[in-house]
Amino acid sequence: VLYIMILNNRIHLHSSSDGGTAMRLGWTKNKNSTTYRAVKTVRVDGKNKTLPIKTFGSDKFICATYNVTDAKAWAKEQVRLMNEAEKADSAKFNIALCAGTDLVMNEQRRFNGGYLFLQDIYYELGLHKICRAISGRHLFEYDLNDILSRLIYTRILYPSSKKSSFEESKRLIEQPSFELHDIYRALSVMAEESDYIQSHLFKNSSAIQKRKTQVIYYDCTNFYFEIDDAEDDKQFGKSKENRPLPIVGMGLFMDMDGIPISFSIYPGNRNEQMTMIPLEEKMLSDFGMSKFIVCTDAGLSSATNRVFNTYDKEDGMRGFITTQPIKTLKAFLQEWCLSDDEWTLDGDNSGKKYKISELDDELDKDKIFYKTRWIKEEGIIHTDKGDKKQVIEQKLIVSYSIKYRNFQRHVRQGQIDRATKMVEAGCTSAGKKKQNDPKRFIKTDHATKEGEVAEISTSYINQSIIEDEEKYDGFYAVCTNLDDSIGTIVKANKRRWEIEECFRIMKTDFQARPVYLNRQDRIMAHFITCFIALIVYRYLERKLDNKYTIDQILPTLREMDFMKYEGKGYQPVYTRTEITDALHEAFGFCTSKQIVPIARMRNICSQTKK
């Protein structure tokens, strides 16, 4: 036995039979406890030195954390496992290949391992426990957890139909335990348990790390179906993509970190403004949320929605922040918003007032100026005794920026140039007054100045429309019932772009539309998988410290393939990059070796499920 004094404590090192190269169990004693660690003796400059490899903790900590009664035996087993792992790392394999030997018919040899990082987050969010609870309430024999997890992994890595997802799931290292018909049966169960899944997923994620729900963001989008007839929730409505096809709508709440909270699906012909309160009420009752500020765009913030979120009592508080189009304000408020004087500079506490007409386009182009006033609005509040009118007071915050003005004019000039080319090409049809349609600038006269019908219609650029739009350039307005500082409110409102990004990821990267399902319950289940996939991906971004974009992360995961050599291991066939190293560092395991032994890969798969 070798005795070494460290920090006036005695560490006992047991000699090994392999010349001192293997790790050994060491411990440090004091009056109250014993601390265990893995140590190794190394040769440095002709002398033996003891190197601590990993500290397991005190005997009390080990027993409490790992639910064991014998801390020393547990630590000794950990050292044995570490030695086995180290031995496996140094193992060498001879792989004999013959140019004249045919491949085995239908033998799969290439597998994807990029899903393991998604699997780690899936289990960390406790989705396997949610599936276990659901399975206990239903009579089915398939593994719901296996089905749901594979639907999420393939939605992120290989987005496609449910049938294709089943085939793509066979590309993963761990093979599916279910058949295609099990997926469709599971979709009905998932739809039935939608509220349970959403509420418990939120609670599980809050247990991992506190969710930032002081301000929550709400927005709506829609998804189209390549069908001709409307039925159930698939109805003809105003498509975000201007497609003349039946659609369903989705309302989504998101927290301040860009992580979804809850969603709902509604008929495509329903007014979006009516979808927010029902989903809020569900969150208030099922999610344990009582204090939050809802931030939306102007299209979703009706007076009724603002009244609902004007609530301040001991058991809860709600507020709102919403964009406010200046064009829709009353005339006297529009005049006040666009008036030249009484502007204050952001960050200037001197009380100095500015005039927009006196600003310098170069010196002041990066500055933002504000003015505020309180206004009143009447909305409807729904009670058990019926609907009643209620007046709410809200702060109107107007900002002006030269840089924003120049940006709007640059965009409009491009649209004017396109409209001019249309006129020169003989376009005689004026377009509807859509926000970004160049045809809105085209005016066509079908009569002469004397009022007679013209033989030839004349089209030209309508300067009055351009002038009317230009007077709003650079201005931006927000309404809120909060009495917080302008900077706090504006900062909160600026994060609305992240919910638009959530929809873009779902539609473009996860290919959530068109929807290739018909039954109402299966359509709901489809969006549940897309919703969970979005949450899993957002946590993956956070694990990587938001350093990489989705266009960098997803291709990397898809390309992390391995060639399997039966009885030996998995050989990586992907390119090791900065992102693969970041993934391994963030998740605590590494596959970027010349070959990963079978046992090691099995341990990695198990590790991602803990």
Side-chain angles (χ1 to χ4, degrees):
V1 179
L2 174 65
Y3 293 89
I4 297 180
M5 298 298 295
I6 297 179
L7 301 177
N8 296 324
N9 291 310
R10 192 174 298 276
I11 298 181
H12 302 268
L13 302 177
H14 300 274
S15 62
S16 62
S17 59
D18 61 357
T21 59
M23 284 175 279
R24 304 175 300 283
L25 178 64
W27 61 88
T28 305
K29 287 186 176 181
N30 58 32
K31 293 182 180 180
N32 300 318
S33 64
T34 302
T35 300
Y36 295 94
R37 58 177 59 83
V39 296
K40 177 186 285 192
T41 300
V42 295
R43 193 80 172 169
V44 180
D45 298 329
K47 297 180 180 180
N48 288 339
K49 286 192 175 182
T50 301
L51 186 69
I53 304 299
K54 182 178 181 179
T55 300
F56 302 120
S58 66
D59 48 3
K60 295 179 181 178
F61 171 82
I62 292 172
C63 292
T65 304
Y66 302 102
N67 194 25
V68 295
T69 56
D70 191 337
K72 182 177 181 181
W74 180 89
K76 192 172 183 179
E77 175 63 14
Q78 299 308 304
V79 173
R80 186 188 70 79
L81 293 174
M82 291 171 67
N83 278 322
E84 283 190 359
E86 189 176 71
K87 185 177 180 181
D89 284 342
S90 61
K92 296 182 179 180
F93 297 88
N94 293 319
I95 299 173
L97 303 175
C98 179
T101 302
D102 293 334
L103 292 174
V104 177
M105 183 70 71
N106 298 323
E107 180 187 47
Q108 183 180 354
R109 301 175 61 236
R110 188 169 180 140
F111 299 87
N112 176 269
Y115 80 96
L116 292 170
F117 305 102
L118 306 175
Q119 182 163 273
D120 188 285
I121 297 172
Y122 176 93
Y123 277 83
E124 187 177 13
L125 290 171
L127 282 157
H128 61 300
K129 296 179 181 179
I130 293 175
C131 290
R132 187 187 308 148
I134 294 174
S135 299
R137 296 196 290 267
H138 297 266
L139 299 176
F140 52 71
E141 296 181 354
Y142 52 78
D143 188 339
L144 179 62
N145 179 55
D146 200 22
I147 293 174
L148 178 59
S149 61
R150 294 306 186 272
L151 288 177
I152 291 168
Y153 306 155
T154 54
R155 176 57 52 186
I156 297 173
L157 298 176
Y158 315 112
S160 56
S161 66
K162 298 299 175 283
K163 181 179 179 181
S164 296
S165 295
F166 172 67
E167 296 299 328
E168 295 290 359
S169 67
K170 297 177 183 178
R171 295 176 58 175
L172 310 182
I173 291 175
E174 297 169 284
Q175 294 296 287
S177 63
F178 51 87
E179 298 297 331
L180 178 60
H181 60 83
D182 293 325
I183 292 181
Y184 292 106
R185 292 172 180 171
L187 293 178
S188 300
V189 175
M190 290 161 55
E192 182 180 342
E193 299 283 355
S194 173
D195 291 346
Y196 178 84
I197 292 172
Q198 293 185 53
S199 61
H200 279 71
L201 180 54
F202 175 78
K203 292 173 183 176
N204 290 353
S205 63
S206 300
I208 297 172
Q209 184 175 359
K210 186 176 181 180
R211 298 288 295 268
K212 294 182 180 179
T213 56
Q214 299 91 330
V215 179
I216 59 176
Y217 299 84
Y218 184 72
D219 204 352
C220 293
T221 190
N222 47 54
F223 300 82
Y224 67 89
F225 295 74
E226 291 185 334
I227 56 177
D228 296 325
D229 300 324
E231 60 177 357
D232 299 323
D233 285 351
K234 304 183 289 293
Q235 298 293 325
F236 290 100
K238 187 177 180 181
S239 170
K240 301 289 185 181
E241 301 167 58
N242 298 317
R243 294 177 181 268
L245 296 169
I247 58 176
V248 297
M250 171 187 278
L252 179 71
F253 271 109
M254 177 196 80
D255 69 12
M256 298 176 70
D257 286 324
I259 302 173
I261 299 173
S262 182
F263 80 99
S264 65
I265 298 297
Y266 56 87
N269 57 358
R270 179 176 295 175
N271 185 344
E272 292 180 347
Q273 292 182 347
M274 300 171 62
T275 65
M276 187 172 78
I277 292 178
L279 189 54
E280 271 194 75
E281 290 175 334
K282 186 184 300 182
M283 290 163 55
L284 288 168
S285 61
D286 298 346
F287 287 58
M289 299 174 62
S290 59
K291 298 182 179 181
F292 52 80
I293 298 162
V294 179
C295 186
T296 66
D297 63 18
L300 291 164
S301 185
S302 64
T304 299
N305 290 347
R306 298 186 195 191
V307 167
F308 181 79
N309 286 305
T310 303
Y311 182 83
D312 188 1
K313 290 188 178 181
E314 292 183 3
D315 58 342
M317 183 280 290
R318 294 193 300 276
F320 67 82
I321 301 172
T322 179
T323 56
Q324 174 62 60
I326 297 177
K327 294 180 182 180
T328 63
L329 289 170
K330 294 179 181 179
F332 76 95
L333 289 176
Q334 285 193 43
E335 183 180 351
W336 174 81
C337 291
L338 304 178
S339 62
D340 186 46
D341 52 4
E342 296 301 313
W343 292 88
T344 58
L345 176 62
D346 181 29
D348 185 356
N349 298 321
S350 65
K352 181 181 178 181
K353 301 297 181 179
Y354 296 82
K355 291 187 176 183
I356 290 177
S357 59
E358 297 176 354
L359 300 180
D360 188 286
D361 283 6
E362 286 300 320
L363 295 177
D364 299 320
K365 67 178 181 179
D366 294 322
K367 299 176 181 179
I368 301 178
F369 300 85
Y370 294 100
K371 62 166 60 175
T372 65
R373 70 180 291 172
W374 286 89
I375 61 175
K376 294 183 179 181
E377 187 172 9
E378 188 177 82
I380 303 296
I381 184 170
H382 304 289
T383 66
D384 296 335
K385 298 181 180 180
D387 297 344
K388 65 177 183 179
K389 294 182 179 180
Q390 179 173 320
V391 177
I392 56 171
E393 289 192 356
Q394 52 191 335
K395 183 192 294 185
L396 176 61
I397 303 172
V398 186
S399 67
Y400 180 79
S401 165
I402 293 175
K403 182 179 287 187
Y404 183 47
R405 180 203 68 186
N406 294 342
F407 169 75
Q408 289 180 301
R409 292 182 179 178
H410 173 74
V411 172
R412 185 184 301 107
Q413 188 58 50
Q415 296 169 348
I416 294 171
D417 293 342
R418 290 168 59 194
T420 302
K421 291 180 180 180
M422 291 179 183
V423 171
E424 293 173 351
C427 175
T428 58
S429 59
K432 295 181 180 180
K433 293 185 178 181
K434 294 182 180 179
Q435 185 176 2
N436 296 312
D437 190 349
K439 288 185 178 181
R440 72 185 187 277
F441 299 121
I442 300 176
K443 185 175 182 180
T444 302
D445 291 337
H446 300 283
T448 64
K449 294 181 178 179
E450 290 75 21
E452 299 177 356
V453 177
E455 295 182 2
I456 300 177
S457 299
T458 304
S459 296
Y460 54 93
I461 301 299
N462 191 341
Q463 291 296 330
S464 63
I465 294 179
I466 297 175
E467 292 171 2
D468 184 63
E469 289 188 8
E470 279 186 346
K471 68 182 182 181
Y472 298 102
D473 288 349
F475 295 93
Y476 188 85
V478 171
C479 269
T480 180
N481 60 345
L482 306 175
D483 198 17
D484 293 358
S485 66
I486 293 176
T488 300
I489 294 169
V490 171
K491 183 179 179 181
N493 185 64
K494 282 183 177 180
R495 300 193 68 89
R496 284 193 309 106
W497 66 270
E498 288 189 272
I499 199 165
E500 294 289 347
E501 186 183 51
C502 285
F503 288 142
R504 182 190 64 78
I505 291 173
M506 256 199 267
K507 291 184 174 183
T508 304
D509 298 288
F510 295 171
Q511 297 180 20
R513 79 316 180 225
V515 184
Y516 296 109
L517 295 164
N518 186 52
R519 280 176 43 174
Q520 188 89 340
D521 55 349
R522 293 176 178 176
I523 292 171
M524 171 58 78
H526 166 72
F527 289 111
I528 289 173
T529 59
C530 294
F531 171 77
I532 298 175
L534 183 59
I535 293 177
V536 170
Y537 172 73
R538 284 302 200 192
Y539 274 102
L540 177 62
E541 282 186 326
R542 289 176 60 80
K543 289 265 191 179
L544 296 174
D545 297 326
N546 296 308
K547 291 181 179 179
Y548 306 99
T549 66
I550 192 168
D551 294 328
Q552 295 173 303
I553 295 172
L554 294 192
T556 298
L557 297 179
R558 290 175 186 139
E559 293 167 7
M560 292 189 74
D561 285 350
F562 297 80
M563 191 68 68
K564 183 179 181 181
Y565 293 96
E566 202 62 51
K568 293 182 171 62
Y570 294 84
Q571 180 187 21
V573 291
Y574 60 84
T575 302
R576 179 188 172 193
T577 64
E578 176 187 328
I579 301 180
T580 60
D581 280 1
L583 284 164
H584 289 134
E585 182 179 354
F587 286 86
F589 63 85
C590 182
T591 61
S592 293
K593 307 295 182 181
Q594 290 185 345
I595 190 168
V596 182
I598 295 288
R600 170 56 64 84
M601 185 61 81
R602 191 180 300 119
N603 289 339
I604 291 174
C605 292
S606 298
Q607 178 183 335
T608 60
K609 295 180 181 179
K610 290 184 178 179

